[in-house]
Amino acid sequence: MNQTTKSCAIIGAGISGIAAAIRMRNKGYAVTVFEANAFPGGKLSTESNKGYRFDMGPSVFTMPEYVDELFVLSGKNPREHFNYIPLDPVYRYFFEDGTTVDAFHGKEKYAEKISEKLKDSKEDILKYLDKTEEMYELTAEVFLHNSLHKFKNFMTKRVMKGLLNFGKIGAFDTMNGANKKAFKDPKLVQILNRYSTYNGSSPYLAPATLNVISHLEIEKGAFYPIGGMYSITESLVKLAKDIGVTFSFSNPVREILTEGLPNGQSGKKIKGVRTDEGNLNFDVVISNMDVYNSYLKLLPSAKKPEKTLSQPKSSSGIIFYWGIKHNFSQLGLHNIFFSENYEEEFDTIFSKKTIYVDPTIYVNITSKYTATDAPADCENWFTFINVPNNSGQDWDELVNEARETMIKKLNRLLKIDIRPMIECEMILDPRVVEARTSSAFGAIYGNASNNKFAAFMRHPNFSKEIKGLYFCGGSVHPGPSIPLCLLSAKITTGLVS
Ligand SMILES: Cc1cc2nc3c(=O)[nH]c(=O)nc-3n(C[C@H](O)[C@H](O)[C@H](O)COP(=O)(O)OP(=O)(O)OC[C@H]3O[C@@H](n4cnc5c(N)ncnc54)[C@H](O)[C@@H]3O)c2cc1C
């Protein structure tokens, strides 16, 4: 490990903050992570209730190589510290007319099995999946692996190739528009439209470029971390501590401190952070706090990038974490119960800003893979619907309404009354997201991607005004999700000299 005498403060122990801490330590910095909560992980955390364990946020794990990379960088064999298995099938989809469809791993198997159940041919499905792969290859360098805000990054061969093929990446159609052109069966269109929810957007507004998300899951694969999603946080925090990162929990940063540049130069540079324990000096500060709140709460007198910060925010969620006293053999790890009118569902979320009467429900059950996550013959249900972010709605009323609608829908599709099986309940709604992770308006995924310029409107990984101040995590470039947050940490720390 390189050794410098420089120090770095990371604000927030979300997955991106932890990854940034590991990378900065590997650059030789003395690193302290300040976390407002008493626990690490932010959205990627865990809670238990009456013998049931729940992952509180992310449940679908893709691109595990970005976790492995952090162990390798630190001179360790990832397999001795963190393990995962590939999922096949990945998803089970349920429709109101009784159709169930399993989504398998790998283009060939996915196309073959879906074509047996739905109206589209294996050839057409393969053609579509090849196209999303091509789009991924063209866009990854531009949108995922580099800062979008450094001119020199546009001068590489791979990035130039992506830019020169802009017409091929679907920037001028919506996800739904492209999927409807590709397929006859509305069920397949709905299955593929759902990937817009991975960054909290509407498939009727988001550019078709985002259809690349399906490529990551279908072809590159989805995985289950042994022990559940929280093992990602747990193993990375242990790695960070092992290489000398200091964590300070229950210690929110109250202000980012700045000072003038030396020798009469105009502009500002980082001085340190202020916590309840006082002012602490640091050479570099990386904020993993949502960028909107970083400016609002920690940099009250700094010049703000108003246009970036005022972009519409993503959707949020209502989750019931239910302990279920029953074993459902027809369910897998990831289950989706679709609504009948997807367009109306998204319009209700993004235009009417309320919850839909017949929401698409996602049920995640980790006890299918980790038996100790629930008592014998029971299951731990993470039961999720997409909802608008918090603009002051009556969430107590909406949560009660959602519980009733969701139970009714699940009873209808599973043909059994689940109400008497619910033996314990915890709830997440946008207010909880906001309180627990300081995410602006309780939006789960930062800015929405509901227009073709959204990727360019995410905040850069560095401050243009304050030297030594950087940002990482789901609210800045390249965006939300575990893999993108890990890439965000990589891009951000790559910018620090
Ligand atoms: C319900 C749900 C489902 C999801 N599903 C998936 C999924 O299936 N797959 C996937 O890949 N992604 C999923 N995501 C998205 C993914 O969880 C996030 O994109 C990612 O975890 C965000 O990480 P982050 O590093 O940006 O920080 P966050 O997780 O937002 O954490 C930020 C941390 O900073 C701390 N903090 C904030 N302000 C301060 C301060 N002033 N001082 C100190 N600490 C502070 C907070 O307490 C928090 O711990 C889901 C998210 C949610 C909520």
Side-chain angles (χ1 to χ4, degrees):
M1 198 166 297
N2 305 319
Q3 286 302 335
T4 73
T5 50
K6 290 187 179 171
S7 58
C8 170
I10 312 260
I11 303 172
I15 193 64
S16 196
I18 299 167
I22 293 168
R23 288 185 177 278
M24 288 303 284
R25 184 71 197 113
N26 273 287
K27 276 173 168 273
Y29 278 72
V31 182
T32 307
V33 181
F34 296 92
E35 169 54 54
N37 293 322
F39 53 86
K43 298 182 176 81
L44 189 40
S45 61
T46 185
E47 274 186 44
S48 296
N49 190 9
K50 298 192 175 152
Y52 295 87
R53 188 201 71 84
F54 297 92
D55 285 313
M56 300 306 281
S59 53
V60 180
F61 182 40
T62 53
M63 304 180 99
E65 61 269 27
Y66 296 137
V67 177
D68 288 351
E69 204 173 271
L70 295 166
F71 287 96
V72 175
L73 178 72
S74 309
K76 298 189 192 285
N77 175 357
R79 295 294 72 78
E80 287 171 16
H81 305 274
F82 172 67
N83 285 289
Y84 46 87
I85 48 170
L87 297 175
D88 201 21
V90 178
Y91 269 98
R92 176 156 288 182
Y93 297 110
F94 296 80
F95 295 88
E96 281 284 348
D97 65 1
T99 308
T100 60
V101 177
D102 281 348
F104 285 89
H105 175 204
K107 287 192 277 190
E108 274 287 327
K109 195 168 170 193
Y110 181 93
E112 185 177 321
K113 297 288 182 191
I114 296 248
S115 66
E116 284 167 11
K117 287 265 184 152
L118 302 180
K119 290 182 200 132
D120 290 282
S121 69
K122 182 179 170 190
E123 291 66 38
D124 282 348
I125 300 172
L126 274 175
K127 204 167 115 193
Y128 173 90
L129 295 176
D130 285 342
K131 199 171 159 203
T132 56
E133 178 163 13
E134 188 192 12
M135 278 202 305
Y136 175 76
E137 297 301 337
L138 287 171
T139 52
E141 274 309 291
V142 186
F143 292 105
L144 302 184
H145 293 283
N146 291 292
S147 170
L148 263 181
H149 307 87
K150 293 278 178 190
F151 183 70
K152 71 175 171 46
N153 290 342
F154 290 92
M155 294 295 110
T156 69
K157 223 166 136 188
R158 291 195 67 188
V159 171
M160 285 308 272
K161 189 174 171 205
L163 291 173
L164 290 171
N165 283 286
F166 207 69
K168 282 192 183 170
I169 67 168
F172 302 105
D173 203 350
T174 62
M175 292 177 79
N176 176 64
N179 293 338
K180 262 178 86 168
K181 278 175 206 142
F183 298 116
K184 292 193 280 285
D185 199 318
K187 289 191 175 72
L188 184 51
V189 174
Q190 191 167 19
I191 287 172
L192 293 163
N193 278 354
R194 195 186 64 88
Y195 288 101
S196 71
T197 64
Y198 283 29
N199 67 12
S201 307
S202 162
Y204 303 92
L205 301 169
T209 318
L210 289 184
N211 283 325
V212 296
I213 301 172
S214 66
H215 168 69
L216 297 181
E217 190 175 282
I218 295 167
E219 179 60 8
K220 288 190 176 267
F223 301 82
Y224 180 73
I226 305 295
M229 297 297 284
Y230 187 64
S231 69
I232 304 173
T233 299
E234 215 170 17
S235 64
L236 289 182
V237 168
K238 183 171 181 312
L239 170 64
K241 285 182 177 170
D242 284 351
I243 61 171
V245 171
T246 302
F247 284 85
S248 183
F249 291 108
S250 305
N251 195 4
V253 168
R254 304 292 183 193
E255 190 181 352
I256 294 172
L257 305 171
T258 60
E259 61 187 1
L261 285 171
N263 309 325
Q265 300 172 70
S266 65
K268 282 186 173 170
K269 73 181 207 24
I270 277 294
K271 185 169 172 18
V273 296
R274 179 170 63 79
T275 74
D276 294 339
E277 290 166 359
N279 292 356
L280 297 159
N281 289 344
F282 287 94
D283 298 298
V284 170
V285 172
I286 300 179
S287 182
N288 177 218
M289 183 187 197
D290 181 293
V291 69
Y292 182 95
N293 280 331
S294 290
Y295 278 99
L296 192 77
K297 299 185 177 169
L298 307 187
L299 291 159
S301 54
K303 185 174 165 206
K304 296 177 181 48
E306 300 292 353
K307 201 164 171 205
T308 309
L309 299 184
S310 64
Q311 293 302 302
K313 300 289 172 278
S314 77
S315 57
S316 188
I318 289 179
I319 307 175
F320 295 102
Y321 307 90
W322 283 329
I324 296 279
K325 233 170 30 181
H326 189 81
N327 219 320
F328 286 84
S329 58
Q330 69 272 50
L331 299 181
L333 174 68
H334 300 300
N335 312 277
I336 298 286
F337 298 84
F338 273 120
S339 66
E340 285 212 284
N341 191 336
Y342 221 26
E343 191 160 3
E344 206 172 287
E345 181 174 359
F346 282 98
D347 186 56
T348 307
I349 295 169
F350 287 101
S351 304
K352 304 195 178 81
K353 298 194 186 300
T354 188
I355 64 168
Y356 186 48
V357 286
D358 169 39
T360 296
I361 303 174
Y362 166 52
V363 181
N364 171 248
I365 311 171
T366 62
S367 59
K368 296 281 181 195
Y369 280 78
T370 305
T372 50
D373 281 354
D377 295 320
C378 300
E379 294 180 343
N380 62 336
W381 282 25
F382 164 117
T383 320
F384 176 99
I385 60 167
N386 293 297
V387 305
N389 59 48
N390 186 13
S391 53
Q393 300 90 329
D394 183 343
W395 288 107
D396 289 336
E397 195 183 311
L398 293 180
V399 164
N400 285 334
E401 203 179 308
R403 184 190 295 103
E404 289 311 304
T405 332
M406 288 161 80
I407 291 175
K408 266 192 211 144
K409 184 179 176 98
L410 291 167
N411 286 354
R412 194 165 66 235
L413 287 164
L414 292 169
K415 300 187 172 56
I416 193 166
D417 185 8
I418 64 161
R419 199 184 296 269
M421 298 170 187
I422 303 173
E423 61 171 355
C424 62
E425 177 182 274
M426 294 187 293
I427 302 167
L428 175 139
D429 65 41
R431 295 170 303 184
V432 180
V433 177
E434 202 165 4
R436 204 177 279 161
T437 59
S438 217
S439 302
F441 310 102
I444 288 179
Y445 312 93
N447 289 353
S449 292
N450 284 337
N451 69 68
K452 55 178 169 290
F453 303 110
F456 298 95
M457 294 308 296
R458 286 189 195 282
H459 195 285
N461 303 90
F462 58 95
S463 162
K464 289 180 181 158
E465 303 293 328
I466 302 163
K467 211 165 170 257
L469 174 61
Y470 298 84
F471 301 92
C472 70
S475 66
V476 298
H477 178 71
S481 79
I482 296 167
L484 266 57
C485 283
L486 294 173
L487 284 173
S488 179
K490 190 174 180 178
I491 297 169
T492 302
T493 55
L495 296 169
V496 184
S497 52

